């Protein structure tokens, strides 16, 4: 079983930056494709960014492309989401997600979810 714990959320003003971290348990973390999703009040959970097992391939939602960067450090069992030029529309609970069955980059949710971390962007 894999457990995911997000951190790094907070309250920032528009245009500022945050870096989210997702710490994972398990010795097989380095084989998992990972992703970030977010959910705003009254809206469905949506895909944000994904990364393959090695970090060599990434994919982003159009809404965050050019502003967000997903990365991973397999030695630390951690995936990151660097969020620059934040907008009020980015306000949401951000969830880390892991696939245990695939290694390639994917936009579909996988086997495991973290508890979420709140990101609030004020205008």
């Amino acid at each position: 079983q894999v457990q995911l714990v997000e951190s790094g959320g907070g309250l920032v003003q528009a245009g500022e930056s945050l870096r989210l971290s997702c710490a994972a348990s398990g010795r097989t973390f380095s084989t998992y494709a990972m992703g970030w999703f977010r959910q705003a009040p009254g809206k469905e959970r949506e895909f944000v960014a994904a990364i393959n097992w090695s970090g060599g391939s990434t994919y982003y939602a159009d809404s965050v492309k050019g502003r967000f960067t997903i990365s991973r450090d397999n030695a630390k069992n951690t995936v990151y989401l660097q969020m620059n030029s934040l907008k009020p529309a980015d306000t949401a609970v951000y969830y880390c997600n892991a696939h245990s069955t695939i290694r390639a980059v994917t936009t579909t949710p996988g086997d495991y979810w973290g508890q979420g971390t709140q990101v609030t962007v004020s205008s």
Side-chain angles (χ1 to χ4, degrees):
Q1 294 287 314
V2 175
Q3 292 183 319
L4 307 173
V5 180
E6 301 97 333
S7 62
L11 173 63
V12 298
Q13 293 185 330
E16 295 183 341
S17 299
L18 282 173
R19 186 176 69 173
L20 306 183
S21 297
C22 173
S25 65
R27 61 184 179 181
T28 58
F29 170 80
S30 62
T31 71
Y32 294 172
M34 302 289 294
W36 287 95
F37 293 74
R38 67 187 183 186
Q39 187 168 22
K43 300 182 66 176
E44 295 183 359
R45 191 169 299 184
E46 65 177 357
F47 167 78
V48 175
I51 191 166
N52 77 329
W53 70 276
S54 69
S57 182
T58 59
Y59 190 79
Y60 300 93
D62 288 342
S63 59
V64 306
K65 193 174 301 180
R67 300 187 297 119
F68 290 12
T69 302
I70 187 171
S71 62
R72 67 192 298 162
D73 186 342
N74 287 342
K76 297 182 180 295
N77 281 6
T78 302
V79 63
Y80 305 96
L81 185 67
Q82 178 67 45
M83 304 184 295
N84 298 328
S85 301
L86 282 162
K87 306 174 181 179
D90 296 319
T91 296
V93 177
Y94 284 71
Y95 296 92
C96 183
N97 179 260
H99 286 265
S100 64
T101 57
I102 61 173
R103 299 186 181 190
V105 64
T106 180
T107 61
T108 58
D111 304 330
Y112 303 100
W113 293 97
Q115 85 289 349
T117 185
Q118 177 70 49
V119 172
T120 302
V121 184
S122 63
S123 60

